[in-house]
Amino acid sequence: MNGLGALALLAVLAALPWGSVRRPVTPAPPRRRALVPSPVDAAVLLDLAGAAMAAGASVPAVLQALGRAVGEDDEVGRALRSAGVALVLGAPWPDAWHSSPPVAQHVGRALEPAWVDGAAPDTLVARAAEGIRARRHRQAREDAARLGVRLVLPLGLCFLPAFVLLGIVPVLLAAGGAILAP
C-alpha cells in the first residue's frame, strides 16, 4: 500500500500545472536618464548659420535662431541663445562664449571674424564646416586602418587552424594513405 500511495502522490504532483505558478512581480525601479552627449552636429550648425547670414540675418539673430532650433533643453542650444543675447546686450565676444560646449565653440570660432572684424561670414562658416568634415573623414580613415591592423592577429588565429585542418590535413592523409597502401 505504501508503494501505491507513493505512486499516486507522484502522479498527482506530476499532473499539477507547475508552469502556471506565478510569483508576484515587483516593478523595476525607474531608470535615470543617462547624460547623453548632444546629438547636434557642428558642421550642420555652421551650414545653417551660413544660410541664415546669406539671407541677411545678423550674427546675434543667427545665434538666437540656432539656439531655438536646437532646443532649450540642450546645452548647445542654451549656449547659442545666451551668446546671441549677450552680444545684443553689448558683451565682448570672448565673454559671450566663456562657458560654451565644444559644438557651440566651433560656431563661435567661425563667426568671430565676422563679428569682430566685419569679415564676410559666408566663406568663414563654409570653410569651418568643410574643415570639420575633413577632420572627421581623416579620423574615420585612420580608425579604419587601425582596425585592419588590430584584426590581423585574431583572424589569423581563427583561420590558420581551420586552413590546416580542412586544407592540409586531408591532403596529407590522402597522400599518406596512398603511400602506405600496398
Side-chain angles (χ1 to χ4, degrees):
M1 233 19 193
N2 284 339
L4 249 22
L7 283 175
L9 181 63
L10 283 176
V12 168
L13 287 176
L16 286 177
W18 291 103
S20 66
V21 175
R22 295 185 183 207
R23 295 183 187 152
V25 178
T26 57
R31 289 185 178 180
R32 286 187 168 175
R33 271 183 57 174
L35 293 176
V36 179
S38 177
V40 178
D41 186 15
V44 172
L45 283 177
L46 289 168
D47 290 339
L48 291 172
M53 294 183 107
S58 67
V59 173
V62 167
L63 293 174
Q64 290 177 11
L66 286 176
R68 282 191 304 273
V70 170
E72 285 298 316
D73 56 339
D74 191 72
E75 180 183 14
V76 175
R78 284 191 305 270
L80 290 170
R81 282 200 66 208
S82 68
V85 169
L87 291 174
V88 167
L89 294 176
W93 188 265
D95 292 345
W97 297 95
H98 71 281
S99 63
S100 298
V103 173
Q105 288 178 2
H106 283 297
V107 176
R109 279 192 300 270
L111 291 177
E112 183 176 11
W115 181 256
V116 174
D117 300 328
D122 302 346
T123 56
L124 296 173
V125 293
R127 254 189 257 140
E130 288 173 9
I132 290 171
R133 289 185 179 105
R135 277 192 302 275
R136 283 187 194 148
H137 183 70
R138 186 177 59 248
Q139 184 65 40
R141 291 181 66 86
E142 289 175 6
D143 290 346
R146 200 173 299 118
L147 180 64
V149 171
R150 288 182 181 170
L151 287 177
V152 168
L153 183 63
L155 287 176
L157 291 175
C158 292
F159 283 118
L160 187 61
F163 171 72
V164 169
L165 289 175
L166 298 175
I168 297 175
V169 170
V171 171
L172 291 177
L173 289 176
I179 293 173
L180 295 176

